Amino acid sequence: MSSHQVTFAAAQLGPNQRSDSRESVLSRMLSLLEQAVSQSPPAQVVVFPELAFTTFFPRHFIPDDEELQSYFEAESPDSQVDQSPNVKPFFDHVKKLGVDVYVGYAEAWNGGEKTEYYNSAVYYSGRSGQVLAKYRKVHLPGVFEPFPEPGATQQLEKRYFKNGNSFEAFRVPGLVGDALKATPDAPVQTDGRGDPIFGMLICNDRRWPEGWRAYGLQGAEVVLCGYNTTAYAPQLLGSDLYESKPLSREEAEKEVLYHNQLSLTANSYMNACFSVNVAKAGEEDGHPLIAGTCIVDPKGYVVAEARTKGDEIVAATLDLRKCRAGKTKTFDLGRHRRLDAYGLLLERAGVEEPPLLT
Ligand code: CDV
């Protein structure tokens, strides 16, 4: 295999019910890992969904603090997620297999006076047995106060988590042969000849071009993104207001899948990067989640996608040199972007319309 090729496995998970034990979820995740490393060629990087170890608990209003805390992994400056007792067996197994993983989880950060809670993902290197990078979800969707409608699918991420605030790309050692390394005379711009550059997003982040562009500006070649996306939630997604009749469940799911793929293909294309996008899917706690796990190339084409709504490996070997055309032509950012025209983008978060006409 060429020295620029990397084999990825997107490990789509079927539903994790609220009543499922941690052990049963871990055992399904370990089977997916085993499957990913025993295929040919074996996966070098396995990507799991957002909040992979538990049910998507922000869909519930949970007044019982003990239950709420049970979904989080405790971390501190001395102890990262791979040491959290609930999930240590997962990371130990990853280390034994010598594979790399991206995995999403709920983080309880005990680093200051007060515990802070985040919706996080880590990139863990099984070869070196350590967390190489951690990402905290920046765009938290939903609401703080629960929807009053009985049976509504809640989305309480704004209640349970604090926002992350940075998009830091990172290089991953050991995936490709003859990568340029730092030496006093190494070039500053390596044009894809160093160790691969990855970025991480979580779920709702994929709908916002800002994170993708932040990674594009750091030369990211692969963006990894896990998600839990509700297939039917009229309070949250789209609008029936101007439709002649409300979307049926089937129509709504089709539209959510369309917007999922639109966000992934468009942003991969506009930043000339691959993306590996992984769902937790199926009927979870009586609420449907879309599948749609897919791997996208820098031209915006889907190169592999899930066929089921359950546990499934979707794999592809990606030639990272395919990012070069976009990065040096249409989306050569340094040559074509116009900072002088973009001032508003950092001055304003929400919409301010031009004044009314007289
Ligand atoms: N987990 C998520 O971030 N879900 C959102 C839904 C609520 C719109 C998503 O963007 O898929």
Side-chain angles (χ1 to χ4, degrees), residues 50-51 56 58 119 137 139-142 154-155 157 202-208 226-230 233 236-237 256 260 289-290:
E50 172 190 36
L51 300 178
F56 184 73
N119 185 341
K137 186 172 182 177
H139 301 100
L140 297 175
Q154 301 295 344
Q155 226 301 349
E157 289 192 57
I202 300 178
C203 197
N204 191 254
D205 289 319
R206 73 199 188 286
R207 304 183 196 274
W208 299 88
Y227 60 90
N228 285 249
T229 294
T230 176
L236 271 176
L237 300 172
V256 177
N260 175 54
L289 293 168
I290 60 162

mmCIF file of all heavy atoms in Angstrom, residues 50-51 56 58 119 137 139-142 154-155 157 202-208 226-230 233 236-237 256 260 289-290, ligand 1:
data_model
loop_
_atom_site.group_PDB
_atom_site.id
_atom_site.type_symbol
_atom_site.label_atom_id
_atom_site.label_comp_id
_atom_site.label_asym_id
_atom_site.label_seq_id
_atom_site.Cartn_x
_atom_site.Cartn_y
_atom_site.Cartn_z
ATOM 1 N N GLU A 50 -20.797 9.814 18.506
ATOM 2 C CA GLU A 50 -20.952 10.717 19.659
ATOM 3 C C GLU A 50 -21.577 9.918 20.820
ATOM 4 O O GLU A 50 -22.417 9.031 20.586
ATOM 5 C CB GLU A 50 -21.919 11.833 19.228
ATOM 6 C CG GLU A 50 -22.370 12.772 20.329
ATOM 7 C CD GLU A 50 -23.517 13.696 19.860
ATOM 8 O OE1 GLU A 50 -24.389 13.257 19.081
ATOM 9 O OE2 GLU A 50 -23.516 14.866 20.290
ATOM 10 N N LEU A 51 -21.206 10.236 22.050
ATOM 11 C CA LEU A 51 -21.779 9.590 23.249
ATOM 12 C C LEU A 51 -21.970 8.089 22.995
ATOM 13 O O LEU A 51 -23.077 7.550 23.152
ATOM 14 C CB LEU A 51 -23.100 10.256 23.658
ATOM 15 C CG LEU A 51 -23.031 11.751 24.016
ATOM 16 C CD1 LEU A 51 -24.419 12.289 24.354
ATOM 17 C CD2 LEU A 51 -22.084 12.022 25.179
ATOM 18 N N PHE A 56 -28.305 8.187 24.186
ATOM 19 C CA PHE A 56 -28.187 9.637 23.992
ATOM 20 C C PHE A 56 -29.038 10.305 25.079
ATOM 21 O O PHE A 56 -30.184 10.697 24.852
ATOM 22 C CB PHE A 56 -28.639 10.032 22.581
ATOM 23 C CG PHE A 56 -28.431 11.492 22.313
ATOM 24 C CD1 PHE A 56 -27.156 11.998 22.112
ATOM 25 C CD2 PHE A 56 -29.497 12.373 22.294
ATOM 26 C CE1 PHE A 56 -26.947 13.357 21.904
ATOM 27 C CE2 PHE A 56 -29.304 13.733 22.089
ATOM 28 C CZ PHE A 56 -28.023 14.211 21.889
ATOM 29 N N PRO A 58 -29.266 13.202 26.532
ATOM 30 C CA PRO A 58 -29.886 14.530 26.479
ATOM 31 C C PRO A 58 -31.307 14.531 25.903
ATOM 32 O O PRO A 58 -31.978 15.563 25.913
ATOM 33 C CB PRO A 58 -28.935 15.341 25.584
ATOM 34 C CG PRO A 58 -27.632 14.626 25.679
ATOM 35 C CD PRO A 58 -27.983 13.174 25.804
ATOM 36 N N ASN A 119 -19.606 17.549 26.145
ATOM 37 C CA ASN A 119 -19.857 16.488 25.178
ATOM 38 C C ASN A 119 -18.556 16.389 24.370
ATOM 39 O O ASN A 119 -18.241 17.273 23.577
ATOM 40 C CB ASN A 119 -21.053 16.889 24.297
ATOM 41 C CG ASN A 119 -21.459 15.788 23.339
ATOM 42 O OD1 ASN A 119 -20.691 14.874 23.059
ATOM 43 N ND2 ASN A 119 -22.670 15.887 22.809
ATOM 44 N N LYS A 137 -17.365 19.442 22.075
ATOM 45 C CA LYS A 137 -18.358 19.926 21.098
ATOM 46 C C LYS A 137 -18.598 21.424 21.273
ATOM 47 O O LYS A 137 -18.905 21.899 22.378
ATOM 48 C CB LYS A 137 -19.657 19.141 21.304
ATOM 49 C CG LYS A 137 -20.754 19.416 20.282
ATOM 50 C CD LYS A 137 -21.896 18.418 20.508
ATOM 51 C CE LYS A 137 -23.032 18.541 19.549
ATOM 52 N NZ LYS A 137 -24.060 17.493 19.775
ATOM 53 N N HIS A 139 -20.776 23.421 19.042
ATOM 54 C CA HIS A 139 -22.168 23.810 18.759
ATOM 55 C C HIS A 139 -23.118 22.847 19.453
ATOM 56 O O HIS A 139 -23.349 21.736 18.964
ATOM 57 C CB HIS A 139 -22.418 23.808 17.249
ATOM 58 C CG HIS A 139 -21.518 24.750 16.502
ATOM 59 N ND1 HIS A 139 -20.386 24.333 15.840
ATOM 60 C CD2 HIS A 139 -21.579 26.088 16.342
ATOM 61 C CE1 HIS A 139 -19.792 25.386 15.293
ATOM 62 N NE2 HIS A 139 -20.485 26.466 15.596
ATOM 63 N N LEU A 140 -23.631 23.277 20.606
ATOM 64 C CA LEU A 140 -24.579 22.446 21.357
ATOM 65 C C LEU A 140 -25.990 22.804 20.910
ATOM 66 O O LEU A 140 -26.438 23.933 21.116
ATOM 67 C CB LEU A 140 -24.438 22.704 22.861
ATOM 68 C CG LEU A 140 -23.091 22.346 23.485
ATOM 69 C CD1 LEU A 140 -23.062 22.782 24.952
ATOM 70 C CD2 LEU A 140 -22.791 20.859 23.375
ATOM 71 N N PRO A 141 -26.706 21.864 20.320
ATOM 72 C CA PRO A 141 -28.055 22.190 19.846
ATOM 73 C C PRO A 141 -29.084 22.104 20.966
ATOM 74 O O PRO A 141 -28.764 21.723 22.089
ATOM 75 C CB PRO A 141 -28.318 21.099 18.804
ATOM 76 C CG PRO A 141 -27.573 19.922 19.327
ATOM 77 C CD PRO A 141 -26.350 20.465 20.052
ATOM 78 N N GLY A 142 -30.321 22.416 20.624
ATOM 79 C CA GLY A 142 -31.428 22.177 21.545
ATOM 80 C C GLY A 142 -31.714 23.336 22.465
ATOM 81 O O GLY A 142 -31.492 24.498 22.132
ATOM 82 N N GLN A 154 -36.739 15.258 23.631
ATOM 83 C CA GLN A 154 -36.017 16.399 24.204
ATOM 84 C C GLN A 154 -34.638 16.531 23.565
ATOM 85 O O GLN A 154 -34.111 15.573 22.986
ATOM 86 C CB GLN A 154 -35.863 16.225 25.725
ATOM 87 C CG GLN A 154 -37.170 16.109 26.477
ATOM 88 C CD GLN A 154 -38.005 17.396 26.389
ATOM 89 O OE1 GLN A 154 -37.511 18.467 26.034
ATOM 90 N NE2 GLN A 154 -39.289 17.277 26.711
ATOM 91 N N GLN A 155 -34.055 17.719 23.681
ATOM 92 C CA GLN A 155 -32.671 17.923 23.234
ATOM 93 C C GLN A 155 -32.058 18.875 24.237
ATOM 94 O O GLN A 155 -32.065 20.081 24.053
ATOM 95 C CB GLN A 155 -32.650 18.505 21.815
ATOM 96 C CG GLN A 155 -31.657 17.842 20.863
ATOM 97 C CD GLN A 155 -30.209 17.913 21.325
ATOM 98 O OE1 GLN A 155 -29.855 18.617 22.268
ATOM 99 N NE2 GLN A 155 -29.339 17.164 20.668
ATOM 100 N N GLU A 157 -28.990 19.349 25.464
ATOM 101 C CA GLU A 157 -27.527 19.519 25.532
ATOM 102 C C GLU A 157 -27.139 20.858 26.147
ATOM 103 O O GLU A 157 -26.122 20.957 26.822
ATOM 104 C CB GLU A 157 -26.916 19.373 24.140
ATOM 105 C CG GLU A 157 -26.955 17.953 23.643
ATOM 106 C CD GLU A 157 -26.095 17.745 22.418
ATOM 107 O OE1 GLU A 157 -24.897 18.017 22.468
ATOM 108 O OE2 GLU A 157 -26.643 17.295 21.397
ATOM 109 N N ILE A 202 -18.203 17.025 16.461
ATOM 110 C CA ILE A 202 -19.213 16.167 17.070
ATOM 111 C C ILE A 202 -20.590 16.629 16.591
ATOM 112 O O ILE A 202 -20.980 17.781 16.794
ATOM 113 C CB ILE A 202 -19.139 16.204 18.608
ATOM 114 C CG1 ILE A 202 -17.763 15.725 19.091
ATOM 115 C CG2 ILE A 202 -20.246 15.333 19.221
ATOM 116 C CD1 ILE A 202 -17.569 15.768 20.601
ATOM 117 N N CYS A 203 -21.282 15.731 15.949
ATOM 118 C CA CYS A 203 -22.679 15.846 15.562
ATOM 119 C C CYS A 203 -23.085 17.205 14.997
ATOM 120 O O CYS A 203 -22.772 17.525 13.874
ATOM 121 C CB CYS A 203 -23.575 15.427 16.718
ATOM 122 S SG CYS A 203 -25.242 15.075 16.110
ATOM 123 N N ASN A 204 -23.784 18.034 15.775
ATOM 124 C CA ASN A 204 -24.327 19.290 15.261
ATOM 125 C C ASN A 204 -23.239 20.184 14.660
ATOM 126 O O ASN A 204 -23.520 20.959 13.729
ATOM 127 C CB ASN A 204 -25.067 20.028 16.386
ATOM 128 C CG ASN A 204 -25.890 21.196 15.867
ATOM 129 O OD1 ASN A 204 -25.522 22.347 16.035
ATOM 130 N ND2 ASN A 204 -26.995 20.904 15.214
ATOM 131 N N ASP A 205 -21.987 20.050 15.116
ATOM 132 C CA ASP A 205 -20.872 20.827 14.540
ATOM 133 C C ASP A 205 -20.790 20.661 13.031
ATOM 134 O O ASP A 205 -20.321 21.569 12.332
ATOM 135 C CB ASP A 205 -19.530 20.344 15.110
ATOM 136 C CG ASP A 205 -19.297 20.705 16.554
ATOM 137 O OD1 ASP A 205 -19.620 21.831 16.952
ATOM 138 O OD2 ASP A 205 -18.753 19.847 17.290
ATOM 139 N N ARG A 206 -21.224 19.486 12.521
ATOM 140 C CA ARG A 206 -21.031 19.242 11.085
ATOM 141 C C ARG A 206 -21.907 20.131 10.223
ATOM 142 O O ARG A 206 -21.691 20.255 9.034
ATOM 143 C CB ARG A 206 -21.299 17.770 10.747
ATOM 144 C CG ARG A 206 -22.780 17.320 10.769
ATOM 145 C CD ARG A 206 -22.802 15.819 10.873
ATOM 146 N NE ARG A 206 -24.092 15.161 10.735
ATOM 147 C CZ ARG A 206 -25.065 15.136 11.645
ATOM 148 N NH1 ARG A 206 -24.950 15.824 12.772
ATOM 149 N NH2 ARG A 206 -26.161 14.443 11.443
ATOM 150 N N ARG A 207 -22.921 20.745 10.823
ATOM 151 C CA ARG A 207 -23.818 21.617 10.044
ATOM 152 C C ARG A 207 -23.298 23.046 9.941
ATOM 153 O O ARG A 207 -23.922 23.895 9.313
ATOM 154 C CB ARG A 207 -25.205 21.656 10.702
ATOM 155 C CG ARG A 207 -25.822 20.286 10.884
ATOM 156 C CD ARG A 207 -27.210 20.376 11.473
ATOM 157 N NE ARG A 207 -27.642 19.088 11.977
ATOM 158 C CZ ARG A 207 -28.231 18.142 11.242
ATOM 159 N NH1 ARG A 207 -28.460 18.358 9.979
ATOM 160 N NH2 ARG A 207 -28.592 17.001 11.793
ATOM 161 N N TRP A 208 -22.199 23.355 10.662
ATOM 162 C CA TRP A 208 -21.694 24.726 10.736
ATOM 163 C C TRP A 208 -20.374 24.804 9.981
ATOM 164 O O TRP A 208 -19.412 24.150 10.366
ATOM 165 C CB TRP A 208 -21.497 25.128 12.213
ATOM 166 C CG TRP A 208 -22.784 25.076 12.968
ATOM 167 C CD1 TRP A 208 -23.318 23.999 13.613
ATOM 168 C CD2 TRP A 208 -23.740 26.120 13.100
ATOM 169 N NE1 TRP A 208 -24.534 24.312 14.147
ATOM 170 C CE2 TRP A 208 -24.823 25.619 13.848
ATOM 171 C CE3 TRP A 208 -23.778 27.451 12.655
ATOM 172 C CZ2 TRP A 208 -25.936 26.396 14.153
ATOM 173 C CZ3 TRP A 208 -24.888 28.214 12.982
ATOM 174 C CH2 TRP A 208 -25.946 27.686 13.718
ATOM 175 N N GLY A 226 -18.588 11.965 14.908
ATOM 176 C CA GLY A 226 -19.601 11.013 15.369
ATOM 177 C C GLY A 226 -20.895 11.759 15.649
ATOM 178 O O GLY A 226 -20.857 12.930 16.033
ATOM 179 N N TYR A 227 -22.044 11.089 15.463
ATOM 180 C CA TYR A 227 -23.308 11.790 15.698
ATOM 181 C C TYR A 227 -24.414 10.874 16.218
ATOM 182 O O TYR A 227 -24.359 9.653 16.071
ATOM 183 C CB TYR A 227 -23.765 12.534 14.434
ATOM 184 C CG TYR A 227 -24.021 11.705 13.193
ATOM 185 C CD1 TYR A 227 -25.284 11.171 12.927
ATOM 186 C CD2 TYR A 227 -23.017 11.469 12.264
ATOM 187 C CE1 TYR A 227 -25.528 10.435 11.766
ATOM 188 C CE2 TYR A 227 -23.251 10.725 11.094
ATOM 189 C CZ TYR A 227 -24.511 10.206 10.864
ATOM 190 O OH TYR A 227 -24.753 9.476 9.727
ATOM 191 N N ASN A 228 -25.414 11.525 16.855
ATOM 192 C CA ASN A 228 -26.697 10.910 17.242
ATOM 193 C C ASN A 228 -27.732 11.888 16.730
ATOM 194 O O ASN A 228 -27.941 12.951 17.336
ATOM 195 C CB ASN A 228 -26.887 10.879 18.759
ATOM 196 C CG ASN A 228 -26.073 9.837 19.482
ATOM 197 O OD1 ASN A 228 -26.595 8.877 20.015
ATOM 198 N ND2 ASN A 228 -24.763 10.043 19.538
ATOM 199 N N THR A 229 -28.376 11.587 15.621
ATOM 200 C CA THR A 229 -29.299 12.561 15.042
ATOM 201 C C THR A 229 -30.695 11.989 14.982
ATOM 202 O O THR A 229 -30.931 10.970 14.332
ATOM 203 C CB THR A 229 -28.806 12.989 13.642
ATOM 204 O OG1 THR A 229 -27.583 13.696 13.815
ATOM 205 C CG2 THR A 229 -29.818 13.900 12.953
ATOM 206 N N THR A 230 -31.586 12.678 15.668
ATOM 207 C CA THR A 230 -32.957 12.214 15.727
ATOM 208 C C THR A 230 -33.587 12.263 14.330
ATOM 209 O O THR A 230 -33.372 13.212 13.581
ATOM 210 C CB THR A 230 -33.738 13.063 16.758
ATOM 211 O OG1 THR A 230 -35.082 12.664 16.726
ATOM 212 C CG2 THR A 230 -33.661 14.540 16.468
ATOM 213 N N ALA A 233 -38.262 14.819 14.907
ATOM 214 C CA ALA A 233 -38.436 15.695 16.067
ATOM 215 C C ALA A 233 -38.933 17.038 15.564
ATOM 216 O O ALA A 233 -38.147 17.958 15.347
ATOM 217 C CB ALA A 233 -37.118 15.845 16.817
ATOM 218 N N LEU A 236 -37.649 20.354 16.754
ATOM 219 C CA LEU A 236 -36.251 20.709 16.571
ATOM 220 C C LEU A 236 -35.831 20.945 15.140
ATOM 221 O O LEU A 236 -35.042 21.839 14.848
ATOM 222 C CB LEU A 236 -35.383 19.526 17.038
ATOM 223 C CG LEU A 236 -34.950 19.455 18.462
ATOM 224 C CD1 LEU A 236 -34.209 18.149 18.661
ATOM 225 C CD2 LEU A 236 -34.062 20.631 18.805
ATOM 226 N N LEU A 237 -36.306 20.074 14.245
ATOM 227 C CA LEU A 237 -35.725 20.045 12.906
ATOM 228 C C LEU A 237 -36.709 20.557 11.876
ATOM 229 O O LEU A 237 -37.864 20.153 11.867
ATOM 230 C CB LEU A 237 -35.330 18.614 12.532
ATOM 231 C CG LEU A 237 -34.306 17.958 13.452
ATOM 232 C CD1 LEU A 237 -34.138 16.496 13.096
ATOM 233 C CD2 LEU A 237 -32.973 18.666 13.349
ATOM 234 N N VAL A 256 -33.911 14.454 6.974
ATOM 235 C CA VAL A 256 -32.793 14.555 7.930
ATOM 236 C C VAL A 256 -31.554 13.875 7.335
ATOM 237 O O VAL A 256 -30.425 14.391 7.450
ATOM 238 C CB VAL A 256 -33.170 13.934 9.295
ATOM 239 C CG1 VAL A 256 -31.985 13.986 10.246
ATOM 240 C CG2 VAL A 256 -34.351 14.662 9.916
ATOM 241 N N ASN A 260 -28.004 15.641 6.489
ATOM 242 C CA ASN A 260 -26.777 15.051 7.028
ATOM 243 C C ASN A 260 -25.733 14.959 5.919
ATOM 244 O O ASN A 260 -24.624 15.500 6.027
ATOM 245 C CB ASN A 260 -27.111 13.655 7.577
ATOM 246 C CG ASN A 260 -25.902 12.890 8.049
ATOM 247 O OD1 ASN A 260 -25.134 13.382 8.862
ATOM 248 N ND2 ASN A 260 -25.717 11.680 7.535
ATOM 249 N N LEU A 289 -33.270 7.266 15.554
ATOM 250 C CA LEU A 289 -32.051 7.992 15.155
ATOM 251 C C LEU A 289 -31.714 7.595 13.721
ATOM 252 O O LEU A 289 -31.838 6.415 13.364
ATOM 253 C CB LEU A 289 -30.872 7.583 16.053
ATOM 254 C CG LEU A 289 -30.928 7.976 17.533
ATOM 255 C CD1 LEU A 289 -29.836 7.252 18.319
ATOM 256 C CD2 LEU A 289 -30.755 9.493 17.669
ATOM 257 N N ILE A 290 -31.263 8.555 12.915
ATOM 258 C CA ILE A 290 -30.876 8.204 11.536
ATOM 259 C C ILE A 290 -29.589 7.384 11.558
ATOM 260 O O ILE A 290 -28.801 7.464 12.504
ATOM 261 C CB ILE A 290 -30.658 9.441 10.630
ATOM 262 C CG1 ILE A 290 -29.535 10.357 11.166
ATOM 263 C CG2 ILE A 290 -31.948 10.204 10.413
ATOM 264 C CD1 ILE A 290 -28.985 11.339 10.135
HETATM 265 N N1 CDV B 1 -26.687 15.321 18.826
HETATM 266 C C1 CDV B 1 -26.907 16.374 18.008
HETATM 267 O O1 CDV B 1 -26.114 17.291 17.946
HETATM 268 N N2 CDV B 1 -28.049 16.355 17.289
HETATM 269 C C2 CDV B 1 -28.427 17.409 16.380
HETATM 270 C C3 CDV B 1 -29.911 17.475 16.209
HETATM 271 C C4 CDV B 1 -30.584 17.813 17.457
HETATM 272 C C5 CDV B 1 -30.307 18.486 15.179
HETATM 273 C C6 CDV B 1 -27.784 17.251 15.009
HETATM 274 O O2 CDV B 1 -27.328 18.256 14.476
HETATM 275 O O3 CDV B 1 -27.795 16.159 14.450
#
